[in-house]
Amino acid sequence: MKKFETERLFLEEISLNDAEFILRLYNTPKFIEHIGDKNLRTVADAEKYINEKFLPQLENLGYGNYLIRRKLDGQKIGAVGIFTREGLEVSDIGFSFLEEFEGNGYGQESASKLLEKAFLDFGLKTISAITTKENHASQNLIKKLGLTYLKIIQLPDDPVELLYFEITKESWLNHRKIQNDLN
């Protein structure tokens, strides 16, 4: 099982042991509003979702969705992942947090680490991100990560218009160098 760490966080591959947390996270009002209702109502529903959505991608591609845990106290606070998604030619990065852990820089810290792994270890050449027009917090984080807005898209069988962002490995390396120079 892959496990990555940052200064304050551990990123661990999602497992069936995380079903109760995924149930809680995926039923927060902000998750449902900005990402959608995944119809997870029980721990068994969450286990099935993990088994059908997360574990196959981790097994087939070697990357996927990661639980975010604070080093300080071991608290599960959110998830960050790189996903293959129908309707997108490029894998996309996504993130979600329990509301009480938003606004602490955990999103940028965890997503920055996952972008690093995607480009340097997983061999990806381009990463995308999608978000709703109303999700300004997500848009701001995506831009901080260095992704550039390109267009409005719709995923298959979904009427919601989404903002589509992308970053190449070369652009990410330049962005990372600038960020390191500023610190």
Side-chain angles (χ1 to χ4, degrees), residues 8 97-107:
R8 301 180 295 163
F97 292 87
L98 295 175
E99 291 180 33
E100 60 265 34
F101 298 107
E102 293 176 354
N104 294 298
Y106 297 135

Side-chain angles (χ1 to χ4, degrees), residues 21-34:
F21 177 77
I22 291 298
L23 177 65
R24 180 176 170 212
L25 179 66
Y26 279 35
N27 281 292
T28 62
K30 284 187 179 181
F31 189 98
I32 292 170
E33 177 186 357
H34 295 301

Side-chain angles (χ1 to χ4, degrees), residues 30 32-35 130-140 152 159-163 165:
K30 284 187 179 181
I32 292 170
E33 177 186 357
H34 295 301
I35 298 172
I130 54 176
T131 189
T132 60
K133 293 176 184 178
E134 299 78 24
N135 192 347
H136 300 290
S138 182
Q139 292 170 40
N140 290 337
I152 293 176
V160 177
E161 290 187 336
L162 301 168
L163 304 179
F165 299 78

Side-chain angles (χ1 to χ4, degrees), residues 3 11 13 40 64 78-79 82 129 139 149 154 162 165 172 183:
K3 185 175 186 177
L11 281 63
E13 291 179 354
L40 305 182
I82 296 178
Q139 292 170 40
Y149 169 77
Q154 285 179 272
L162 301 168
F165 299 78
W172 174 79
N183 294 331

Side-chain angles (χ1 to χ4, degrees), residues 40-51:
L40 305 182
R41 301 296 179 254
T42 67
V43 172
D45 291 341
E47 288 172 344
K48 182 178 178 190
Y49 194 84
I50 291 167
N51 253 330

